[in-house]
Amino acid sequence: MNDVKTWRTLVTALALMAAPFAFAQQATPDKAMRIIAAGPPGGTLDVVARLLAEGLQRELNQSVIVEAKPGGGGAVAVNDLMQAPRDGNTMVVTLDALVSEIPHIVKLRYDMAKEVRPIAELARGGLVMVGNPSVPARTLPELISYVKANPGKVSYASYSAGTASHVMGLQLNKAAGIDMTHVGYKGSPPALVDVMGGHVPLMFAGIPNAIPLVKSGKVVPYAVSLPQRSPNLPNVPTFAELGYPQLEALAWVGLWLTPDVPAAVQNRLREAAMKVMAQPGTRERLTEFGLEPGKPRTPDELAKSLRSDYERIGAVLKSIDFKPG
């Protein structure tokens, strides 16, 4: 009998000792969570981060604030993340380019593939090739014929050298046998301004940024990089439809933590985020903005895709002897 009492006492004591540890494995509920959006206020990443924050507040019954911190292709936001406690209360919302593209473009303080971990794919989107209305072409075949007839005279803008909007132009050059000249910018807004102004005739732009300009007639769309047509641009064909399947490309917005955040916290945040992003209202708002809901890929699947994309983009950039800045 005494042995039984002793055993029960021991079990109770162990349970009480484990309780604080289990609590420590979760983000602190009485502390506001921070989501750092690695882009400007009102931009794609900020919009996605705020949709997520609204839902997480309901799911976790915890305050969630969003801070927009653009710069360095996500490096500024990651630097903030690295300085924060590793308890899951600070997260970053940014693009897959953080690992697949940016390390090719600039020399970074951190090895992004090791220092940050994507735990959920929140949304995805593609690029659309657009042109100034003065370009004498309204379809991609017409555009390719025009470029061929004017060798070395047609340029295209990207939102930054080394990114998908740069690489896709290189891929189209090779696939179509043309020679568009690349002009790199620091962000989509100044590049699109110059396309609208006729300073650069063409651009591979993010669909959310281009939609209002297409609908207002300020730019002409030629093709999208999505696997299927965009609901927001139903009359614009995909590159694959037009015979260029190699230009199919999707970027995705992820929720990122440092890998040393406890696994229980990572799983809890992933489950909550996936639940929020699957809600009909959230999916509808993403579609209105020109994005698609993310896929329920696991963190390991996301990491594998990042490695593959990093190698693919690196091979293209190496072929033109591209050097990081």
Side-chain angles (χ1 to χ4, degrees):
M1 186 71 172
N2 289 336
D3 289 342
V4 173
K5 288 183 178 180
T6 300
W7 175 251
R8 287 176 177 169
T9 301
L10 178 60
V11 170
T12 301
L14 289 172
L16 290 171
M17 290 171 62
F21 177 76
F23 183 76
Q25 297 295 302
Q26 301 181 11
T28 311
D30 59 350
K31 179 180 178 182
M33 302 179 78
R34 294 171 62 226
I35 298 178
I36 307 167
T44 299
L45 298 176
D46 187 52
V47 168
V48 174
R50 291 183 187 282
L51 285 175
L52 176 63
E54 290 175 13
L56 287 182
Q57 287 187 154
R58 295 190 298 269
E59 290 297 320
L60 303 177
N61 193 28
Q62 187 171 351
S63 297
V64 184
I65 60 174
V66 175
E67 298 178 12
K69 291 199 172 183
V76 172
V78 168
N79 185 65
D80 192 334
L81 176 68
M82 299 297 288
Q83 308 307 315
R86 310 301 175 86
D87 57 6
N89 275 305
T90 303
M91 300 162 277
V92 165
V93 167
T94 192
L95 289 166
D96 56 335
L98 176 72
V99 172
S100 62
E101 296 176 10
I102 301 304
H104 292 300
I105 303 169
V106 295
K107 296 177 181 178
L108 299 171
R109 179 179 177 185
Y110 302 110
D111 182 344
M112 294 302 184
K114 296 179 180 179
E115 300 294 345
V116 291
R117 172 177 169 83
I119 63 167
E121 179 184 324
L122 305 175
R124 50 173 48 197
L127 301 182
V128 56
M129 188 179 190
V130 297
N132 184 279
S134 65
V135 176
R138 291 297 177 267
T139 67
L140 186 62
E142 291 176 357
L143 178 63
I144 290 172
S145 296
Y146 171 70
V147 177
K148 285 183 176 179
N150 295 273
K153 297 180 180 179
V154 181
S155 58
Y156 74 97
S158 76
Y159 44 75
S160 181
T163 63
S165 64
H166 175 195
V167 170
M168 287 189 68
L170 300 177
Q171 292 176 309
L172 184 58
N173 275 347
K174 182 177 180 180
I178 55 179
D179 61 349
M180 297 182 297
T181 301
H182 171 249
V183 181
Y185 283 78
K186 293 183 178 180
S188 287
L192 283 168
V193 166
D194 273 8
V195 171
M196 288 186 290
H199 303 293
V200 182
L202 305 169
M203 181 180 177
F204 290 86
I207 290 177
N209 293 322
I211 285 173
L213 304 181
V214 170
K215 292 186 174 181
S216 64
K218 294 179 180 178
V219 297
V220 175
Y222 295 107
V224 296
S225 70
L226 302 171
Q228 62 280 321
R229 297 192 181 196
S230 167
N232 299 86
L233 301 171
N235 297 322
V236 182
T238 67
F239 281 105
E241 281 182 71
L242 299 173
Y244 301 100
Q246 59 271 68
L247 270 76
E248 182 178 304
L250 277 172
W252 50 270
V253 179
L255 180 64
W256 307 69
L257 295 168
T258 55
D260 54 355
V261 170
V265 176
Q266 293 190 37
N267 293 335
R268 172 174 173 259
L269 292 173
R270 170 182 164 77
E271 290 173 5
M274 297 300 292
K275 186 174 181 180
V276 168
M277 302 312 290
Q279 293 170 356
T282 304
R283 295 170 70 92
E284 182 179 347
R285 290 168 71 181
L286 285 176
T287 301
E288 290 172 353
F289 193 67
L291 296 170
E292 300 177 7
K295 301 296 182 182
R297 294 189 288 173
T298 66
D300 286 344
E301 288 172 334
L302 294 174
K304 183 178 179 180
S305 75
L306 288 171
R307 288 193 296 270
S308 176
D309 289 343
Y310 174 84
E311 292 170 0
R312 174 181 57 82
I313 292 171
V316 174
L317 295 176
K318 185 177 180 180
S319 71
I320 62 167
D321 198 30
F322 179 86
K323 296 292 189 297

